[in-house]
Every structure is written in structure tokens, then in C-alpha cells.
Amino acid sequence: MEARDKDPAHTSLLKANQDHFDEQATKWDDDPEYVRVSRESYATIMRHVGQFLLPSSDHHHHHTDILNFGCGTGLLEAQLRFNVNSITGIDISSGMIDRMNAKILEEGWKNVIALQMDILNDEAQISSSHQLQIQGFDMIISCYTFHHLHDVTAIGKALLKYLKPGGYLCIIDFAAAAETNNVRQHHHHHHHHHHHQHEEQDQQQHESLGDKLSEAAKASIGSHDGFSKRFLIDYYQNVLELENVKVEDATPLSCDGREFPTVIAYGRRKK
């Protein structure tokens, strides 16, 4: 694995995201916007995939181990930890992970772990970490992280290594502003995912939300401006080869008097 060449586009986008979110970390939890997004994410998870978190035969013991990719400061973990056996949060921002680790200690979150890592290039750290055991997770969740990624195919495949057979991958993110105008070039030879072409109007519609929700440095931070349902179905079924795939509307995020469509995608790794 060591021989894997670092993708320069992945590395530069990662660095921009790291710097941005490190700088935001200390004030992140004070922004009611982010707190509200985390509450809505939690509600969406419970509404759409909550039935997979608990074995129906046993309502007293939680058995589900979850990986949250792009966990930030742990706003989601604060809520979801009561519904699961354990949550491991990973994020590329050390500032975010430091905040989350402080909460874990201060608030006594016994079943939550936070790790700072780049899942594409920290393979050795991941496999040597006892928290990310080889048997993997029952569910991997990612909320509003995928639109920051350069290569969603590489990340998706890296995540699947830690998903148990029969486990679910669940992604919540912005929906494409206009499905019909969304010209994402997507090739499914399973290895190549050519960078998407954006329609200008999609870009403009999401820019104000990008500014508001993450105050991101526009294009250098946000790599995508939302995902169409058609793209997500193709990604889940043909690229990641998951089954029982569902792509559904999630609660729109309202911001400055405007509503932005969101989507939840989930599918099961074949047993």
C-alpha cells in the first residue's frame, strides 16, 4: 500500500480543507447553523436508516458499530452515541478532532473515539489502530463531506474496506440544484472517475450556501456542488457494487430564507 502515489489534486484539496477547518474548529460549535445541520442530519439518519441501527429482536442492547467519515467536532456523535454500540469519528482536520476529543473527555463519551487521518494515505495508521479493527463497521455514515472530495470513487472504495459484509454505507449531502442540467461525466470502468464538469448555474446556486454553511474558500474547498440522484444510484450500484440501494430526498436545509435540496443515499455491502 505504501507505493500508492499521492494524487496531487487530492492532496491540494485536502490541504485547503485541513487549513480551513482547523481555523474554524474552535468556533464551530458556537454557530447555530452548524448545530442545526447536525440535528437535521441526525433526524434524517434515524428516519431513513434508523431501522438498521438496532436488531429488531433486542431493544435494550445496541450492537451497531459506526464509522463517521468527516466527523468534525462530534456534533452528530453527541446525539447518535445513544443509539449505537460505538462510534469512531475520523476527520482530516486535527483542529476538529482536538475539539471532539476534548468533548469525549469532558462529557464522558465512553463509546466514542476520534481519529485524525486521511483515509487515502494513512492506510498504515488505520490498520494498526485497534479502534479500526479488521472486522469492520456495521454502518459508515458521512454527512456533508462528499462535496468537499476530489475523488469520490477512491474515497468510497477506501471506506468499503472498513464496512462489514451486510453493512450499510450512508451519505447525506447536497442534491444537485437542477438534475437535468447536471452534466457530471461519470465513467464506470470501476477505476476511473473523471472529474465532473459543472454547469455554471448549479455552481452559482450553491455558492451562497457554501459560503454560509462552511464559509469555505469557494472552489478550492468545495469540489462538487451537489449530487444528482442518477449519479448516486450509479455510484452506489456500479462503482461501489452495493445492493439494496436507495436514494431519497432528505430535509432541505434552509439558509438566509432560501431552501437547498439535500439527498440521502444508502446501500448494503454484499454478504
Side-chain angles (χ1 to χ4, degrees), residues 135-201:
Q135 78 261 22
F137 295 91
D138 301 292
M139 186 179 286
I140 297 176
I141 287 172
S142 186
C143 301
Y144 302 104
T145 297
F146 264 63
H147 69 273
H148 292 295
L149 305 177
H150 167 63
D151 188 344
V152 295
T153 293
I155 298 275
K157 289 184 174 184
L159 287 171
L160 287 190
K161 292 177 190 169
Y162 305 103
L163 185 64
K164 288 180 187 172
Y168 281 83
L169 172 67
C170 172
I171 296 170
I172 300 173
D173 216 313
F174 298 116
E179 297 247 336
T180 50
N181 293 332
N182 196 29
V183 284
R184 291 176 186 289
Q185 308 291 323
H186 180 65
H187 303 267
H188 28 265
H189 334 304
H190 290 222
H191 299 298
H192 294 298
H193 176 85
H194 297 292
H195 210 38
H196 309 313
Q197 308 295 312
H198 294 322
E199 287 277 80
E200 196 130 339
Q201 79 183 75

Side-chain angles (χ1 to χ4, degrees), residues 32-47:
E33 203 71 43
Y34 299 136
V35 174
R36 185 164 57 84
V37 169
S38 78
R39 286 199 188 119
E40 289 182 5
S41 297
Y42 172 71
T44 297
I45 288 164
M46 295 311 291
R47 189 181 311 115

Side-chain angles (χ1 to χ4, degrees), residues 103-116:
K103 285 188 227 180
I104 289 170
L105 286 173
E106 288 160 17
E107 299 173 29
W109 297 358
K110 299 271 189 280
N111 63 339
V112 181
I113 291 158
L115 301 169
Q116 190 259 329

Side-chain angles (χ1 to χ4, degrees), residues 236-253:
Y236 266 68
Q237 289 179 342
N238 300 319
V239 178
L240 301 181
E241 300 181 328
L242 300 175
E243 60 184 13
N244 293 20
V245 172
K246 297 270 196 320
V247 179
E248 298 164 345
D249 293 322
T251 310
L253 291 183

Side-chain angles (χ1 to χ4, degrees), residues 24-166:
Q24 295 282 311
T26 52
K27 50 196 177 193
W28 191 265
D29 292 0
D30 301 326
D31 190 323
E33 203 71 43
Y34 299 136
V35 174
R36 185 164 57 84
V37 169
S38 78
R39 286 199 188 119
E40 289 182 5
S41 297
Y42 172 71
T44 297
I45 288 164
M46 295 311 291
R47 189 181 311 115
H48 292 265
V49 297
Q51 72 268 30
F52 307 127
L53 296 179
L54 249 191
S56 53
S57 59
D58 184 349
H59 293 290
H60 303 293
H61 299 288
H62 301 299
H63 297 295
T64 316
D65 296 308
I66 287 194
L67 177 67
N68 182 13
F69 173 68
C71 60
T73 62
L75 288 172
L76 183 64
E77 282 75 1
Q79 305 161 83
L80 195 56
R81 65 195 178 96
F82 298 107
N83 303 97
V84 300
N85 179 52
S86 75
I87 308 182
T88 301
I90 63 174
D91 202 287
I92 48 104
S93 164
S94 55
M96 292 285 184
I97 292 296
D98 288 347
R99 285 288 304 121
M100 185 162 157
N101 272 321
K103 285 188 227 180
I104 289 170
L105 286 173
E106 288 160 17
E107 299 173 29
W109 297 358
K110 299 271 189 280
N111 63 339
V112 181
I113 291 158
L115 301 169
Q116 190 259 329
M117 63 177 60
D118 165 16
I119 200 160
L120 287 190
N121 294 309
D122 293 345
E123 198 88 33
Q125 180 192 346
I126 293 172
S127 51
S128 67
S129 165
H130 69 279
Q131 293 98 338
L132 294 173
Q133 292 140 348
I134 256 13
Q135 78 261 22
F137 295 91
D138 301 292
M139 186 179 286
I140 297 176
I141 287 172
S142 186
C143 301
Y144 302 104
T145 297
F146 264 63
H147 69 273
H148 292 295
L149 305 177
H150 167 63
D151 188 344
V152 295
T153 293
I155 298 275
K157 289 184 174 184
L159 287 171
L160 287 190
K161 292 177 190 169
Y162 305 103
L163 185 64
K164 288 180 187 172

